[in-house]
Every structure is written in structure tokens, then in C-alpha cells.
Amino acid sequence: MNRDPLATPPIDDADVPAWVAATGVDGLVDLHVHFLPDRMLQKVWAFFDQAEQNYGRPWPIHYREPEQTRIDLLRGFGVRTFAPLVYPHKPDMAAWLTSWALEWAAEVPEAVPTATIYPEDSVTSYLGDALDAGARAVKVHVQVGDFDPRDPRLDRAWGLIAEAGVPAIVHCGDGPRQGTYTGMDVFTEVLRRHPRLTAVIAHAGLPEYDRTLQLVDRFENVHLDTTMVGTPYTQEFAPVPDDWPARLVAVADRVVLGTDFPNIPYGYHEQLAAIAGWAAADDRLGAPFLRSVLHDAPARLLGV
Ligand SMILES: [Zn+2]
């Protein structure tokens, strides 16, 4: 019997490959995962270990595994392409992190080369070099970086990204904790200056889902990623609106798979099950939407 992927979402990680096959996609394209130099990753995990103090709730990292194991896990899920994202939390980090990410991706067939930026005088130079070297996605972490995305030193960088047509995956929402420059009002000003920018609002702007949908509606190259959205974990503190599936209909081709693997406090299958639930909840979404989110839309953005 053929499995209906809408009616039977994956029940655990071991079930993911069979479920992916049932959707009919030629593998998953995950536009939002994280790989970092090991010492940095250990620090990130140590931060999440303190999540109860930092965020007010525990955040037990589910995939606290050696790097090769994490790569093998993604392959096992059926991820054919992924964007390993890096991000700085202070100046003088983004250039070497970008170099690291470019070199790392060259060694992993499923990984696309990525870059990151920070407001500093050198940003135009190292970003331009990275785009010339083939970077296919740029991570911009406004919350962790605690910088103003409207900083004049970033203006040319936004322009370069827009001209290159590569997606900027922007964490500019107020979750999991509000930052000095987070919020859709601030990022809207960047889009006003760079209306053709291909921006992917990470976590669908969690918890500002309404504002994010407005931006996607208003700017033709703005997308949202699914990272952590609709999972039981985030539903507890940042639930999507009750009519979320219906709201996605108008922007269905600009919703892309993202997961935050491996830094998530639950199994990978939970994200896929959440997306399957949206697809099943509205006939105007259905299986075509599922295939678009899991593969077609992120593949288009990453040029694969
Ligand atoms: Zn992330």
C-alpha cells in the first residue's frame, strides 16, 4: 500500500527516510542547519545548557554528537542538500568564520558554501570575496550578533547580497529572546532600502508570525523558513495562529524547510511532522505544498 505522507507524518527519526520517499521528493533540502568549528560549537551547547537561566526553559540539545555523526544523521534522514550556517557574536569573527564555512562545505558534498556578515569596515571586502568564491547563502544573526541591520557599514553588503541573488537567512525575530535590534519593524527598513533582496526570515519571525507574513506578502523576494515553527516545543511559548495553514496559502511557494539541526531540543522528525500537519490542514496546500517546502522552494533559492 502506498503511504499517504499527509495522513501519516513521521513518528520518529527512523521513520523519516520512508516518509520522505512517500512524499515523492528527490531528497530534502534543509536551508537552515548549523555546523561550526568544534570549540565554538561546544560553547554554543554550553550556552543552551544554561537555557533555563537564559531563555526561561530548558533546551537539551538532541544531537550532541561528533561532527561526522551529525553529517551521517542528515544523510540518513534523506537530506540531499543543506546550508550549514555560521554566525558571529562580536567583531573580527565573520571573515574567518566565512572562510571556515567555505572550506568546510568544499569537503561535504551535500553542503552548499555559506557566508556570514557583521557590521565592520571589512564586511564588503570579505563578503564580496565569499560571493566570488561561490557562497550560495548568507546567515545574518541580528539577535546573537546584537547589531543593527540598518548599520551604514552593512548597506553595501545588503546590496551585494541582493545583486548576487543569494538568500540571506536573517534571524531578526524577537525569539527566543528579544534583542536590541530584533523585530520586524527594524528589518522592514532594510527591505525598504533593498526591496529586491532575497531574504529568508528565520523561524518565520517567531513569535511575530503576522508581521512576517505581511513582509512576505509585501516584498516579492522575501521568504520564511520553518525552523522550529509549529513543533510541540515552540507551540508551548510561541504558538502559530490557529489559521496558520490558511494564511500560508497566499505565500505557499515562499515557505522553505529549515530545522536548526543539530541544536534542537527534539528529534528532526518533529519539524517534518509539523509541516505535514499544515499541508494536511488545508486542501489548497496538500502534497504539492509539502514537496515545495521540503525540496523545490529551498532548492530554487540555493540554486541546486
Ligand atoms: Zn539557526
Side-chain angles (χ1 to χ4, degrees):
M1 244 181 67
N2 285 338
R3 177 177 184 175
D4 176 359
L6 299 183
T8 58
I11 53 168
D12 55 26
D13 279 2
D15 187 32
V16 167
W19 180 80
V20 171
T23 67
V25 298
D26 184 19
L28 302 173
V29 178
D30 190 336
L31 180 123
H32 187 152
V33 309
H34 294 291
F35 283 87
L36 289 167
D38 196 58
R39 278 177 54 197
M40 249 187 101
L41 188 61
Q42 297 300 332
K43 284 184 188 164
V44 169
W45 286 348
F47 181 81
F48 282 114
D49 287 342
Q50 306 299 316
E52 207 140 8
Q53 292 93 300
N54 295 324
Y55 294 150
R57 73 193 67 246
W59 191 305
I61 301 288
H62 193 79
Y63 298 103
R64 204 171 191 128
E65 303 286 350
E67 184 175 279
Q68 188 59 50
T69 306
R70 281 179 269 122
I71 296 169
D72 292 341
L73 278 163
L74 286 175
R75 285 181 184 144
F77 298 149
V79 176
R80 200 180 67 162
T81 305
F82 63 86
L85 305 177
V86 297
Y87 49 89
H89 61 276
K90 59 183 184 189
D92 299 322
M93 271 182 85
W96 71 260
L97 264 179
T98 295
S99 299
W100 182 90
L102 293 173
E103 285 167 26
W104 193 88
E107 303 294 322
V108 181
E110 295 86 351
V112 302
T114 72
T116 190
I117 58 173
Y118 192 87
E120 50 202 341
D121 291 337
S122 55
V123 61
T124 309
S125 159
Y126 63 73
L127 175 66
D129 288 348
L131 292 170
D132 288 345
R136 302 229 292 268
V138 181
K139 173 67 172 182
V140 187
H141 210 316
V142 174
Q143 197 239 343
V144 165
D146 200 30
F147 58 78
D148 190 336
R150 301 163 299 188
D151 189 303
R153 291 168 296 180
L154 287 178
D155 196 47
R156 182 73 193 117
W158 290 120
L160 284 174
I161 297 169
E163 282 163 28
V166 305
I169 295 105
V170 188
H171 186 136
C172 55
D174 288 330
R177 189 177 56 178
Q178 191 169 8
T180 319
Y181 303 104
T182 57
M184 293 305 144
D185 286 337
V186 174
F187 193 63
T188 300
E189 291 183 40
V190 174
L191 287 170
R192 262 198 221 114
R193 281 188 62 78
H194 302 279
R196 298 166 69 84
L197 181 71
T198 302
V200 179
I201 310 295
H203 310 280
L206 173 159
E208 289 185 277
Y209 303 114
D210 285 315
R211 297 297 314 280
T212 303
L213 287 169
Q214 285 167 18
L215 280 189
V216 177
D217 186 55
R218 181 167 154 201
F219 296 95
E220 58 182 345
N221 292 332
V222 174
H223 298 62
L224 59 87
D225 82 29
T226 64
T227 306
M228 299 190 77
V229 180
T231 61
Y233 184 82
T234 55
Q235 286 295 94
E236 277 194 14
F237 62 93
V240 294
D242 288 340
D243 59 348
W244 178 245
R247 305 274 302 274
L248 293 179
V249 170
V251 297
D253 61 342
R254 282 184 284 152
V255 180
V256 301
L257 175 64
T259 62
D260 251 350
F261 175 91
N263 301 335
I264 39 178
Y266 49 77
Y268 194 86
H269 67 100
E270 293 195 23
Q271 186 70 67
L272 303 176
I275 299 164
W278 308 336
D282 194 300
D283 288 343
R284 295 167 294 175
L285 296 176
F289 171 78
L290 196 56
R291 288 192 290 270
S292 174
V293 175
L294 300 181
H295 179 277
D296 300 352
R300 185 179 69 236
L301 287 189
L302 295 176
V304 295

